[in-house]
């Protein structure tokens, strides 16, 4: 199983100060260097983190593959067809949500997504549909002609009891097996972290996981001490005051 890294949170941090740092493109290069097989970014309608110019810069800078996560709206579809990412992952999007909360309502919108998939294929762009790990959803996704599905692991990740965790894991496993049988590549993502990834990694039908938040949290945990040490050393070296 491979790991793709979502770098949206780097852009969130950058936007907090309105400047250029931290740069999501530099972060993407670090992720590639460390073994990520792909970089994921979500160009949201409200541009709350990733902006249009980030997507273009990522397109030309990264050497693995660019997975553009997006809602299937006219504006973003047009941008995606120009940028030509290596993959588009279609997700539902609500302005009020903090992050993508559920999979696409594929049963209600199968015809619409079929047309969107055809449109991307006409531009030679492969498509992944972010869906809940439910049998009927997997079957409906296959009927759209999508190349790939990404199974929503959010409910699994949020489960607290052993029984719930097991149930969600079984749903994910069954959906992954079915997705593969129906000829689609299967990815998974949302809420995965350094603990709950372990049983997911053991599901051989899942080719790739997409992880963002837990990686950024871990980066702070393991990187904060070193960042403080470097600053303290620098200040000490150049300090004109006598240390008490
Ligand atoms: N996959 C999809 C479709 C997502 O919307 C997200 C969140 O942006 C992720 C994966 C990554 O989730 P997390 O940041 O919780 O690892």
């Amino acid at each position: 199983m491979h790991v793709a890294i979502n770098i949206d949170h780097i852009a969130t941090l950058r936007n907090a100060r309105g400047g250029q740092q931290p740069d999501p493109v530099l972060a993407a290069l670090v992720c590639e260097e460390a073994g990520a097989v792909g970089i994921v970014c979500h160009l949201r309608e409200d541009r709350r983190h990733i902006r249009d110019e980030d997507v273009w810069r990522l397109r030309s800078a990264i050497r693995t593959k660019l997975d553009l996560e997006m809602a299937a709206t006219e504006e973003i579809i047009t941008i995606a067809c120009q940028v030509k990412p290596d993959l588009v992952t279609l997700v539902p999007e609500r302005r009020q949500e903090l992050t993508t909360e559920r999979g696409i309502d594929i049963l209600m919108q199968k015809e619409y997504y079929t047309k969107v998939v055809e449109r991307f294929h006409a531009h030679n762009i492969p498509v992944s549909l972010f869906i809940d790990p439910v049998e009927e959803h997997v079957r409906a996704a296959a009927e759209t002609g999508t190349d790939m599905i990404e199974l929503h692991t959010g409910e699994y990740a949020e489960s607290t009891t052993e029984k719930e965790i097991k149930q969600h894991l079984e749903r994910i496993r069954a959906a992954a097996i079915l997705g593969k049988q129906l000829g689609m590549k299967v990815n998974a993502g949302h809420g995965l972290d350094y603990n709950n990834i372990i049983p997911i990694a053991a599901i051989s039908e899942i080719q790739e996981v997409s992880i963002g938040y837990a990686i950024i949290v871990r980066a702070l945990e393991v990187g904060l001490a070193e960042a403080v040490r470097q600053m303290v050393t620098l200040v000490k070296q150049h300090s004109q005051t006598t240390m008490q």
Side-chain angles (χ1 to χ4, degrees):
M1 183 181 293
H2 298 295
V3 181
I5 306 294
N6 179 311
I7 53 159
D8 293 346
H9 295 293
I10 305 285
T12 303
L13 194 55
R14 175 199 57 196
N15 298 354
R17 281 289 178 99
Q20 302 301 320
Q21 286 185 315
D23 181 3
V25 177
L26 277 184
L29 298 179
V30 171
C31 294
E32 286 188 321
E33 187 67 28
V37 298
I39 301 299
V40 188
C41 69
H42 186 173
L43 186 66
R44 295 186 73 101
E45 248 185 308
D46 61 9
R47 309 297 198 272
R48 72 171 75 150
H49 35 59
I50 293 293
R51 300 174 182 145
D52 301 47
E53 64 268 26
D54 295 325
V55 181
W56 284 103
R57 289 176 59 231
L58 285 165
R59 172 71 292 184
S60 61
I62 67 174
R63 293 288 163 259
T64 54
K65 60 184 170 66
L66 177 63
D67 175 359
L68 181 62
E69 192 185 317
M70 52 176 279
T73 61
E74 196 50 45
E75 185 209 3
I76 310 287
I77 292 172
T78 304
I79 294 170
C81 289
Q82 290 164 355
V83 173
K84 287 195 184 293
D86 300 291
L87 177 70
V88 290
T89 296
L90 303 179
V91 299
E93 193 176 294
R94 287 193 308 119
R95 272 180 190 254
Q96 305 85 341
E97 70 190 3
L98 289 177
T99 179
T100 318
E101 287 165 353
R102 66 179 86 86
I104 284 168
D105 189 358
I106 194 68
L107 298 180
M108 294 297 288
Q109 296 177 300
K110 195 170 74 180
E111 283 72 31
Y112 178 70
Y113 279 98
T114 303
K115 287 201 188 92
V116 175
V117 170
E118 278 168 8
R119 217 164 136 190
F120 279 118
H121 283 174
H123 285 80
N124 288 320
I125 302 170
V127 182
S128 177
L129 299 183
F130 185 56
I131 58 166
D132 292 328
V134 174
E135 180 182 338
E136 306 86 75
H137 292 217
V138 177
R139 292 191 185 281
E143 285 165 21
T144 67
T146 191
D147 306 273
M148 200 178 296
I149 48 174
E150 179 177 331
L151 299 174
H152 191 342
T153 51
E155 276 194 276
Y156 157 70
E158 280 164 21
S159 301
T160 47
T161 66
E162 241 177 70
K163 189 175 164 214
E164 259 185 355
I165 293 171
K166 217 171 148 216
Q167 278 171 352
H168 284 298
L169 210 49
E170 283 317 309
R171 281 175 69 196
I172 293 167
R173 192 193 316 279
I177 291 169
L178 179 62
K180 194 177 172 195
Q181 275 170 1
L182 295 173
M184 298 178 289
K185 289 188 190 148
V186 181
N187 289 351
H190 211 287
L192 295 177
D193 63 24
Y194 292 80
N195 295 314
N196 63 27
I197 187 65
I198 292 165
I200 295 288
I203 303 176
S204 62
E205 288 77 11
I206 300 176
Q207 285 201 344
E208 195 175 300
V209 283
S210 165
I211 309 181
Y213 194 69
I215 302 266
I216 304 303
V217 170
R218 181 58 64 98
L220 287 179
E221 287 166 359
V222 300
L224 188 58
E226 181 57 21
V228 172
R229 268 194 291 275
Q230 287 184 14
M231 182 56 82
V232 169
T233 305
L234 195 66
V235 169
K236 270 187 190 159
Q237 276 170 354
H238 297 272
S239 182
Q240 298 297 322
T241 49
T242 321
M243 301 292 275
Q244 300 280 334

